[in-house]
Amino acid sequence: MEKNNMELEQLVSMLPFLARLTGGFASVTDFSGRRICMVDANGQEVGELAGQVCELAREAAQAGRPLAGLSRIVDRAGDWAFPIGNYILTCSNDERVKKEHKLRASLERALPMIARVAGGEAVLFNEKGERLFVYNAEGTERIQYKGKTSQQARQAIEAFEPEVGKSFSISGAMAVRIPITENFGLGFNNEKSTRQQQKLYEEVKRLQQTRFTFDDIIGETEAIVKAKHMAKFVADGFSSILLYGETGTGKEMFAQSIHNASERCCRPFVALNCGALPASLIESNLFGYEEGAFTGAKKGGSTGVFEQANGGTIFLDEISEMEISLQTKLLRVLQEREVVRIGGGKPIKVDVRVIASTNKEINYLISEGKFREDLFYRLNVIQIKVPPLRERVEDIALLASHFVQQYNKTFGKFIEDIAIETMKILQSHHWPGNIRELQNCIEYAMNMVKHEEKILSPKHLPAYLRSGAGGAKESVVVEIQTGGNNLNEALRETERAVIKRTLEVEKYKKVKVAQVLGISTTTLWRKIAEYGLEKEAE
């Protein structure tokens, strides 16, 4: 009897340690499963349960081996029973599981707040990675996403390590999955803040497109000073402006400078190249479209550049390339100050200033029926002529030096001056591609410079400049029929002959031809089609 009492006393003394270790109740029972002594996780005796039968303890006594089972007190908790001598030692993790339940309930209540702070979704998931609760950044439960499984969340639980990686909700967003217990974890992402950052980035990117001011327009000749003075004078007005100038003269730089000098400088500046897109795309870009307006129209529709530029400035580059049918619609927008999206019927009021540009003589296009006269007068309220580089030879030295300094920084070179012979070559060239061609030539030359060289020499220049009248720039003779050609026709014939000859010399390599002529490949292709040179360019 004493032996039994000593055995019982030893088992009872173990109960507080066992209860704390398992995080629940610990008890000693007899072979019938009746509890002799029971303590909780704090080591305190639980008298009210003494004398009650523990079924798992009775089953372990009958089986003569340890058994495990589910708790009948707390959901998802476990019970264990160990036969020791004449008694059965039992324990559970009820209290620890209760705390888990409380923690989980607390996290469920906190999910909306976590989602708002994180700037995205907040998720509670189980050991399988299944989403139990999901809230968005506004604190609203997203019931439709419950039950979906995340492999990354499951891996976090299995490894019991936080998992940080890309969110699958939106490109660029990050997600964190944190295991809280072996049974559940917390996850959140920053999808909303990422969207806001992306929107801000696009806004900054758009604003960066208007980086030019009048200070960036380099030149001291009378022609360029006069153009700048006129543009500054009318910058704060509302009237439409038409910029005349050859390709590469810097018409968009003038447009941006006018915008930045106006009261609209903090509002959008949206540019659309009317010669770079087919008519169907230009129309949808100009006026926008409603959902389902045509095959491929994106869900929710799209705003056009007039809506995007509302309150600011819209720059219509190469307006002379716009098809006559679109000119009619554009005229209506300028007159009514409202747009109607493709597939829509509701007029949308817009407040925009229109700046257009052309490298063609629009009066000639009007006489050919290719441009509406009423649209011309609507756009040509203020006319500014941007002079070609050949009319401002004195500015070539300033521009060349500016580009040299610019590419010194870009390429890590140390050119301090331009040789007199080099400058003579630059100033004697005709520059059909204007400032853009000059910039391309300086960029080429700076690529040819060695790091130890300090002077830009003729040897660094492109071959066609060094060869004078040779190469692609050799003289082109065009016969002009007296009495049969006006000035515009003569210029067109000359331009066609120059393009044809350059194609031949450069073996019809379009990128090279465009670079030599100082025009974009888009403009080159358009001119090839315009002058019927497609077969020769094939």
Side-chain angles (χ1 to χ4, degrees), residues 430-450:
H430 189 62
W431 298 112
N434 294 290
I435 299 173
R436 188 180 298 137
E437 184 187 359
L438 173 62
Q439 183 174 4
N440 288 344
C441 289
I442 298 298
E443 182 177 359
Y444 173 92
M446 293 296 288
N447 274 285
M448 299 299 109
V449 166
K450 296 178 181 178

Side-chain angles (χ1 to χ4, degrees), residues 291-303:
E291 181 177 341
F294 50 83
T295 303
K298 70 179 182 181
K299 187 176 181 181
S302 176
T303 59

Side-chain angles (χ1 to χ4, degrees), residues 42-60:
N42 296 317
Q44 301 296 317
E45 186 172 351
V46 183
E48 62 265 28
L49 294 179
Q52 292 188 5
V53 174
C54 173
E55 290 295 328
L56 187 66
R58 185 176 60 79
E59 291 171 5

Side-chain angles (χ1 to χ4, degrees), residues 145-176:
Y145 290 99
K146 290 177 69 172
K148 291 192 174 183
T149 302
S150 166
Q151 183 180 355
Q152 289 72 23
R154 179 176 58 80
Q155 290 174 347
I157 291 284
E158 289 176 351
F160 212 72
E161 287 287 340
E163 197 271 342
V164 181
K166 294 181 180 179
S167 170
F168 298 102
S169 300
I170 178 175
S171 176
M174 298 297 291
V176 180

